[in-house]
């Protein structure tokens, strides 16, 4: 183990977590948390700085890159530590309540502590909850990728996330001439509804199949009506489609565009490819061993959303997993909280894994 290990006690690691959760960091307002992270690294003789887009960069041994996102969704949850009981039934202990305690300030703090203890690289990225601007900047800014990536999101201390669905998002726009509502011709609002209904029918859910393996279409906003001059009807619809690894984003786009049939158009403004990593990589193996050595039973997970791991996997040809403390069912929830015992265990697992992966290069 590195000499820095003894300088960060479990209490110090918890103090960092509490500090970071107490600082509000909704997307676009990450600067104060970024500054606290830089202070933490510099206090332990690690070089760190905030880059042009707000990411915290602490490069070191690139055999492993530990990374998580700084931003949270909005929401004011009073920060407190109290005793909480969990559904597993047998454990009661202290839990930290607050926005980001699970998604993903808990994983972020665990990554920072493990990076200092082991001497591996760390990046805290901005904007994950909106457009992944931080991770996109990182992959464009670096000349080459690391040897391995551990991305921080809640998986539970004994869970390893290997896959995420991709995302296709865009805005449908249509215009039609105004006319009396008794006329049989579709107006632009009906055209939007008709197009989306065909897309939904194409990707109708198989109730017996795993959600991860299906396309999930979801409208997120719909606006329509007469234009200000009263001469036209306009409709706009914001839509998202989650894409499983068996398909590419381009294949799903072609299917959705095929139902336009010359009526309306879609501006596709966000495309993130799905990712599915093998459970047999050296990173996944290191996690299984570390979790078992901590008396856990490793769980291999696939998530139905997307994360920065999707971005990294598109650009870097290296093994990666997503890992972090916390129950992902509490992401963005009004009762978001993290068991401190789980946080402690996740730090120990990350240290074990990082040291094993560093040893692979020796």
């Amino acid at each position: 183990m590195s000499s820095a290990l003894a300088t960060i006690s479990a209490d110090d690691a918890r103090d960092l977590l509490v500090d970071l959760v107490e600082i509000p960091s909704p997307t676009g307002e990450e600067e104060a948390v970024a500054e606290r992270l830089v202070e933490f690294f510099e206090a332990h003789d690690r070089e760190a700085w905030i880059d042009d887009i707000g990411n915290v960069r602490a490069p070191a041994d690139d055999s492993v890159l530990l990374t998580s996102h700084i931003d949270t969704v909005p929401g004011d949850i009073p920060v407190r530590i109290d005793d909480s009981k969990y559904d597993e039934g047998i454990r009661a202990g202290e839990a930290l309540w607050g926005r980001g305690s699970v998604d993903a300030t808990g994983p972020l703090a665990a990554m920072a502590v493990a990076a200092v203890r082991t001497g591996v690289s760390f990046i805290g990225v901005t904007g994950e909850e909106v457009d992944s601007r931080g991770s996109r900047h990182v992959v464009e800014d670096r000349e080459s990728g690391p040897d391995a990536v551990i991305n921080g999101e809640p998986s539970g201390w004994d869970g390893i996330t290997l896959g995420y669905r991709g995302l296709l998002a865009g805005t449908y726009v249509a215009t039609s001439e105004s006319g009396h509502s008794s006329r049989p011709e579709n107006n632009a609002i009906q055209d939007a509804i008709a197009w989306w209904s065909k897309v939904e029918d194409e990707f109708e859910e198989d109730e017996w199949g795993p959600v991860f393996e299906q396309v999930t279409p979801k409208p997120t906003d719909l606006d329509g009506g007469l234009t200000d001059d009263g001469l036209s009807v306009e409709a706009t619809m914001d839509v998202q489609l989650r894409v499983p690894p068996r398909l590419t984003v381009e294949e799903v786009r072609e299917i959705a565009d095929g139902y336009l049939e010359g009526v309306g158009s879609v501006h596709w403004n966000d495309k993130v490819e799905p990712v599915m990593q093998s459970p047999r990589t050296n990173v996944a193996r290191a996690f299984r061993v570390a979790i078992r050595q901590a008396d856990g039973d490793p769980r291999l997970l696939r998530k139905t959303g997307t994360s920065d791991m999707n971005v990294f996997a598109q650009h870097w040809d290296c093994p990666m997993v997503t890992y972090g403390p916390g129950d992902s069912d509490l992401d963005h929830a009004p009762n978001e909280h993290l068991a401190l015992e789980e946080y402690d265990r996740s730090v120990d697992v990350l240290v074990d894994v990082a040291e094993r992966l560093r040893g692979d290069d020796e």
Side-chain angles (χ1 to χ4, degrees), residues 9 38 63-64 70 80 87 100 110 136 181 204 240 287:
S9 67
V38 169
S63 59
V64 186
I70 302 172
R80 69 186 192 276
D87 292 339
R136 294 177 192 270
S181 61
E204 183 177 3
Q240 293 184 354
F287 268 102

Side-chain angles (χ1 to χ4, degrees), residues 4-18:
L5 176 59
T7 68
I8 307 177
S9 67
D11 286 342
D12 290 338
R14 287 189 178 189
D15 287 344
L16 175 65
L17 170 65
V18 174

Side-chain angles (χ1 to χ4, degrees), residues 287-298:
F287 268 102
R288 291 198 299 273
V289 172
I291 290 168
R292 289 192 182 107
Q293 290 212 339
D295 297 324
D297 185 12

